[in-house]
Amino acid sequence: PMGGGRRAGASPVLMCTFLAFLSYASLIPALPELIGKYGATWYGVLQSVGNLSGMIGATLIGAASDRVGRKSAICCCFGVACLGSLCLALGQLHWMLPVLGLVLRRVDRTGSATLLKSYVLDLAEHAPERQASLARSQMVTGIGFACGASVGGWLSQYGASVAALGAGSMSAAAATMAVVWFRAGPATAASGAAICGVKVWKAGWYREGGVVGLLVTRVLLGAAFYLITSTSALYCRDRFGLSTTQYGYLLSYIGLSFSLVNGVVMPPLARTFAAWPLFLTGVICHEGEGEGEG
């Protein structure tokens, strides 16, 4: 079993994971007010630009992590999150500020999530420990998302800028915790410097078995997920008349269900079934969610 020292070492990482997703989710209910003023079409375009920037940024941050270590890269991500939240909060001063803020927040979202998960896995020595650590990380992620959505919906009553500043303060708290309590950690291993475990700058990486199929699947699932999360705020507001606060509470149910599935349901299933049936089940459930949204 995992020793007490390793559990103690993982606790700050899990707390930072909670704060990171608390910060990220608190912005989602406020996004229609922060960038939706440009219209539904530009709202979707800006979301797409942010997601693309996040994908590119995560790869670059992963490469930096291999050179300077996880701790420094994670702290850099939280600094980017603070700057992005500030740009969103000051978006009324110039039209480019919300765009820059959204891009920076998506870079932080993809980069920090990957690095924090890798950091948790680094603290585990054996495969069973890694599975348990990953389950705890995913469970904390869902709880942070649920709490952040509720907090963001509540703060949005006082203005979208207040929600953005609140998100920035949460990222600042996570950065402070990372600086004080994180150990240096390894600079290499399975990190965000790779996609599906393959170094993207390595010659012939695309020839390695199954990696292209994994990448295509990941891109399609990511596009489907962000399509739902990017448009559901406007859809719930225009179709059902939900307020920002109500939408935040609705997102909380999604976060709690994610936490329940990954922390309680999936671990015993993973011990019983192979990865492929579980993967297909996840794809089917994800698609069903999209159809229900429509």
Side-chain angles (χ1 to χ4, degrees):
M2 185 182 295
R6 287 189 175 274
R7 286 187 184 276
S11 296
V13 186
L14 294 177
M15 189 62 195
C16 279
T17 301
F18 172 81
L19 289 173
F21 280 88
L22 185 76
S23 172
Y24 168 72
S26 65
L27 277 175
I28 297 178
L31 280 180
E33 294 184 37
L34 291 169
I35 64 174
K37 57 188 177 182
Y38 302 112
T41 300
W42 279 106
Y43 180 83
V45 170
L46 292 177
Q47 291 277 12
S48 299
V49 170
N51 295 334
L52 180 62
S53 302
M55 181 185 69
I56 297 173
T59 304
L60 296 177
I61 290 173
S65 171
D66 279 354
R67 293 182 177 275
V68 302
R70 298 221 205 287
K71 178 178 178 178
S72 299
I74 290 171
C75 292
C76 178
C77 284
F78 289 141
V80 169
C82 293
L83 181 59
S85 297
L86 182 62
C87 290
L88 287 170
L90 300 177
Q92 295 180 345
L93 299 180
H94 194 278
W95 70 271
M96 276 297 295
L97 286 176
V99 179
L100 177 60
L102 182 64
V103 167
L104 292 176
R105 285 300 323 219
R106 288 295 162 81
V107 170
D108 156 68
R109 157 69 180 85
T110 51
S112 62
T114 303
L115 291 173
L116 286 168
K117 188 182 298 182
S118 298
Y119 202 115
V120 168
L121 293 176
D122 287 341
L123 296 174
E125 293 180 344
H126 308 293
E129 293 179 13
R130 294 190 183 97
Q131 289 182 350
S133 298
L134 184 59
R136 282 193 292 269
S137 177
Q138 294 289 80
M139 192 170 184
V140 169
T141 294
I143 295 172
F145 187 95
C147 294
S150 296
V151 170
W154 177 71
L155 288 176
S156 295
Q157 298 179 93
Y158 306 99
S161 296
V162 175
L165 290 175
S169 65
M170 298 169 202
S171 294
T176 302
M177 179 173 290
V179 169
V180 174
W181 280 307
F182 277 27
R183 66 187 192 186
T188 57
S191 74
I195 296 179
C196 298
V198 179
K199 302 291 185 182
V200 294
W201 54 84
K202 175 182 170 184
W205 63 268
Y206 52 87
R207 298 193 189 99
E208 300 199 19
V211 68
V212 173
L214 287 173
L215 286 175
V216 172
T217 303
R218 184 66 187 89
V219 168
L220 292 176
L221 288 176
F225 172 78
Y226 281 115
L227 177 64
I228 293 172
T229 56
S230 298
T231 58
S232 60
L234 295 179
Y235 179 78
C236 290
R237 183 191 67 186
D238 298 338
R239 180 70 180 271
F240 302 110
L242 294 185
S243 65
T244 303
T245 303
Q246 292 171 323
Y247 178 66
Y249 295 154
L250 178 63
L251 287 178
S252 296
Y253 288 107
I254 298 176
L256 290 175
S257 64
F258 178 88
S259 179
L260 179 65
V261 168
N262 284 278
V264 179
V265 177
M266 291 302 294
L269 291 179
R271 290 191 293 268
T272 305
F273 300 100
W276 182 243
L278 291 178
F279 174 76
L280 289 179
T281 302
V283 172
I284 293 171
C285 291
H286 185 91
E287 182 63 26
E289 178 181 305
E291 291 177 358
E293 188 76 27

